[in-house]
Amino acid sequence: MIASAFSVTRTSADLATEMMALFGRDAGGEAARRASQSRNRGNVIGYCAWRQAQRLIMVLDSQATRGTVH
């Protein structure tokens, strides 16, 4: 699998941290659910924020090393 690059904003980092604290291993799924709700409501900004949080949760939850590690 090739990981695509993404930037982490303070908002997405805060959302990911909060979701992981509240939902544990289910945090990624909950973020995806909230992204879908935002999309269905036409809230593009909310959708993008939740998707970024979901991607960050997936990266943080993964045991695999991606990219260069310093």
Side-chain angles (χ1 to χ4, degrees), residues 65-70:
T65 302
R66 289 175 171 58
T68 304
V69 178
H70 297 276

Side-chain angles (χ1 to χ4, degrees), residues 35-70:
S36 292
Q37 283 181 335
S38 292
R39 183 188 63 226
N40 292 340
R41 292 181 185 142
N43 182 350
V44 175
I45 294 171
Y47 170 76
C48 292
W50 284 113
R51 286 290 290 139
Q52 278 300 95
Q54 180 192 13
R55 288 183 191 107
L56 181 55
I57 290 166
M58 290 171 35
V59 168
L60 292 174
D61 194 40
S62 174
Q63 298 296 318
T65 302
R66 289 175 171 58
T68 304
V69 178
H70 297 276

Side-chain angles (χ1 to χ4, degrees), residues 6-51:
F6 66 97
S7 69
V8 177
T9 63
R10 180 64 185 207
T11 301
S12 61
D14 289 345
L15 284 174
T17 300
E18 181 179 351
M19 298 304 285
M20 292 174 82
L22 291 172
F23 296 99
R25 302 285 299 181
D26 296 327
E30 180 63 21
R33 187 184 70 74
R34 292 181 186 203
S36 292
Q37 283 181 335
S38 292
R39 183 188 63 226
N40 292 340
R41 292 181 185 142
N43 182 350
V44 175
I45 294 171
Y47 170 76
C48 292
W50 284 113
R51 286 290 290 139

